[in-house]
């Protein structure tokens, strides 16, 4: 029994030493670019990395979000407006990151942005309903990742894609799950290809946090809008009882 206890303690010590040896040191000059920093996990991560001493560049969808973030962080944290559905906005953000990193490359890129997606049966939806989320949560993230790759390769940095794990369970129609599955595939192939350049690619499938809870009033409003625009044929095939339930 004593030998088992000593072996367990020794294993814990070895684990702690190995874990601590992988902690990032010398944070000065290490730039991390994060998307989706107005609220939620992106906002919290930007604040946490800023306190640790990283050079944080936080992308916000609104000017208000950027102002609020700057008001509670250090002067070294920079913000930039970013609309992932707009190629021009992406280009401006990439130029801003390039100028901020001043030739040193980008140490880390954390993607944390989700497009709004109506939740409804598939045949209630139109192509534009899928595009409203795919343009942001898939195509937008792919576009900005591709444009940041030269900076990431220069610094032998890392890409971290944050994804809500519930997006991997395709329980309802719409583009939400499609965008998550697409980013999984994109990340997996990018990881293999970027290994040659010393760039790491990770996926973090996080759980369901309070910051991500969908506003039930918005959900109901979207459902009512979609229901009202259905053709009589489709509406009758479901029935009023289905819609209410």
């Amino acid at each position: 029994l004593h030998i088992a206890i000593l072996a367990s303690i020794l294993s814990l010590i070895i684990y702690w030493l190995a874990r601590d040896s992988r902690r990032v040191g010398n944070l000065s000059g290490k730039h991390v670019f994060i998307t989706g920093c107005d609220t939620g996990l992106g906002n919290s991560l930007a604040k946490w990395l800023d306190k640790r001493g990283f050079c944080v560049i936080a992308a916000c969808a609104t000017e208000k979000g950027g102002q609020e973030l700057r008001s509670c962080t250090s002067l070294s944290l920079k913000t930039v407006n970013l609309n992932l559905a707009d190629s021009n906005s992406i280009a401006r953000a990439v130029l801003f990151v390039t100028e901020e990193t001043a030739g040193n490359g980008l140490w880390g890129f954390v993607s944390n942005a989700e497009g709004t997606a109506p939740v409804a049966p598939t045949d209630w939806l139109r192509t534009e309903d899928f595009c409203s989320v795919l343009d942001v949560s898939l195509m937008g993230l792919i576009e900005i990742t591709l444009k940041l790759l030269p900076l990431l390769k220069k610094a032998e940095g890392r890409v971290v894609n944050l994804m809500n794990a519930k997006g991997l369970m395709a329980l309802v129609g719409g583009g939400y799950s499609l965008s998550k599955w697409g980013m999984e595939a994109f990340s997996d192939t990018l990881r293999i290809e970027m290994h040659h350049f010393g760039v790491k690619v990770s996926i973090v499938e996080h759980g369901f946090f309070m910051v991500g809870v969908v506003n039930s009033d918005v959900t109901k409003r979207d459902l009512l809008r979609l229901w009202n625009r259905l053709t009589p044929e489709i509406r009758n095939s479901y029935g009023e009882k289905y819609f209410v339930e």
Side-chain angles (χ1 to χ4, degrees):
L1 180 61
H2 290 160
I3 293 176
I5 293 174
L6 287 174
S8 298
I9 294 173
L10 181 60
S11 297
L12 283 173
I13 292 174
I14 293 174
Y15 166 75
W16 285 330
L17 290 175
R19 181 194 63 182
D20 291 343
S21 69
R22 298 183 65 83
R23 289 184 182 276
V24 178
N26 188 24
L27 305 182
S28 177
K30 287 184 167 61
H31 288 82
V32 181
F33 178 47
I34 312 169
T35 64
C37 293
D38 295 78
T39 58
L41 295 178
N43 184 277
S44 298
L45 180 62
K47 294 174 182 175
W48 188 78
L49 291 179
D50 178 60
K51 288 180 180 178
R52 289 287 306 277
F54 285 95
C55 301
V56 177
I57 306 172
C60 297
T62 64
E63 184 60 38
K64 179 183 177 182
Q67 290 175 351
E68 291 178 348
L69 184 57
R70 290 193 301 271
S71 69
C72 57
T73 53
S74 74
L75 294 176
S76 66
L77 182 142
K78 308 296 183 184
T79 62
V80 59
N81 289 347
L82 175 62
N83 176 6
L84 284 170
D86 181 355
S87 293
N88 292 328
S89 179
I90 290 174
R92 288 192 294 270
V94 171
L95 177 60
F96 183 84
V97 173
T98 303
E99 293 173 345
E100 286 295 320
T101 53
N104 296 318
L106 184 60
W107 189 84
F109 169 49
V110 182
S111 69
N112 172 57
E114 295 186 346
T116 56
V119 177
T122 299
D123 61 349
W124 292 22
L125 304 173
R126 298 174 181 171
T127 304
E128 56 264 31
D129 297 316
F130 288 86
C131 292
S132 67
V133 61
L134 292 175
D135 286 348
V136 174
S137 298
L138 182 58
M139 299 311 300
L141 285 178
I142 289 176
E143 181 176 352
I144 197 168
T145 301
L146 294 177
K147 291 185 176 180
L148 290 171
L149 283 181
L151 297 176
L152 290 161
K153 288 159 72 174
K154 186 168 188 176
E156 294 189 354
R158 65 268 303 129
V159 177
V160 180
N161 290 322
L162 299 182
M163 303 181 199
N164 196 316
K166 71 178 185 290
L168 299 178
M169 298 178 288
L171 301 177
V172 294
Y176 188 82
S177 293
L178 288 175
S179 69
K180 301 309 168 192
W181 289 50
M183 279 306 295
E184 287 267 346
F186 176 74
S187 301
D188 288 343
T189 54
L190 188 67
R191 181 184 304 112
I192 297 169
E193 295 159 355
M194 288 297 108
H195 177 74
H196 173 75
F197 301 98
V199 175
K200 300 179 178 65
V201 179
S202 302
I203 301 170
V204 177
E205 295 171 356
H206 58 80
F208 192 63
F209 294 92
M210 288 302 293
V211 294
V213 173
V214 176
N215 187 314
S216 60
D217 292 334
V218 174
T219 303
K220 291 177 182 177
R221 184 192 65 198
D222 283 343
L223 276 174
L224 182 60
R225 175 180 61 84
L226 295 173
W227 175 258
N228 288 334
R229 80 176 188 188
L230 291 177
T231 63
E233 180 183 9
I234 296 178
R235 192 182 303 151
N236 292 336
S237 71
Y238 282 91
E240 190 73 28
K241 182 181 177 182
Y242 182 94
F243 171 68
V244 173
E245 289 178 350

